[in-house]
Amino acid sequence: MNFQDLKSQTQEILTNSVSNRDEKLLAVCQLLHKNVPHYNWVGFYFANHQTQTLHLGPYVGAETDHTIIPFGKGICGQVAVSNTNFIVPDVSSQKNYIACSITVKSEIVIPIFVNGINIGQIDIDSHTIDAFTTDDERFLEELTVEVSKLF
């Protein structure tokens, strides 16, 4: 399935008036995980600005112990501070990387903004080195804009 088809399907999920926010986010994770071969773990983290931590939201993939991540720690924590996309072609080259699994080879994290505030992010891991392209990045940026409308 191409990103244009996925964009249409994620839009359908996110505008479904029957599901609550977490159900919608989980359905998006399931759709991406199932239809993009290099998306081996797909999940959302949400910021608690008072405690300067990220909290795991809906996700699909291997279980993770990283349910709370301090701002600045790991790829997700760095995005919480930088407010910018972060694509890691090879996680073994990152000194500030939190290893979720030895099978993870690359990662992409895109922040979600509401009223200019970084409220969370979508985090995707791949078992393939250098898995993510600018097409992935653009698609996920568009997705996070749509996700932000749920908040």
Side-chain angles (χ1 to χ4, degrees), residues 5-6 34 38-39 53 71 74-75 83 107 109 114 125 127 132-133 140 146 149:
D5 292 340
L6 284 173
K34 179 181 176 185
H38 59 281
Y39 286 15
T53 53
F71 283 15
I75 307 308
N83 297 318
E107 183 172 6
V109 180
V114 174
D125 295 341
H127 298 165
F132 303 105
T133 67
L140 294 169
E146 295 306 312
K149 296 173 184 175

Side-chain angles (χ1 to χ4, degrees), residues 101-130:
S101 164
I102 60 169
T103 59
V104 175
K105 303 296 183 204
S106 59
E107 183 172 6
I108 185 170
V109 180
I110 309 292
I112 303 166
F113 296 96
V114 174
N115 299 322
I117 297 170
N118 180 346
I119 60 113
Q121 53 202 230
I122 188 167
D123 176 22
I124 301 177
D125 295 341
S126 179
H127 298 165
T128 305
I129 287 183
D130 202 16

Side-chain angles (χ1 to χ4, degrees), residues 1-62:
M1 182 175 300
N2 65 40
F3 285 130
Q4 196 57 42
D5 292 340
L6 284 173
K7 183 178 175 182
S8 164
Q9 289 190 28
T10 56
Q11 185 67 28
E12 243 178 76
I13 291 167
L14 295 171
T15 57
N16 178 342
S17 61
V18 176
S19 302
N20 69 38
R21 182 172 54 209
D22 280 354
E23 291 168 339
K24 291 175 185 181
L25 295 175
L26 179 59
V28 166
C29 292
Q30 291 167 334
L31 177 72
L32 299 182
H33 185 260
K34 179 181 176 185
N35 290 287
V36 184
H38 59 281
Y39 286 15
N40 301 114
W41 191 96
V42 180
F44 291 93
Y45 281 93
F46 294 101
N48 180 324
H49 290 280
Q50 287 185 318
T51 61
Q52 298 285 286
T53 53
L54 294 166
H55 297 261
L56 183 61
Y59 75 95
V60 173

Side-chain angles (χ1 to χ4, degrees), residues 66-91:
H66 304 113
T67 59
I68 299 174
I69 299 173
F71 283 15
K73 182 131 172 79
I75 307 308
C76 291
Q78 290 177 73
V79 169
V81 173
S82 72
N83 297 318
T84 59
N85 301 348
F86 200 161
I87 299 173
V88 182
D90 181 355
V91 296

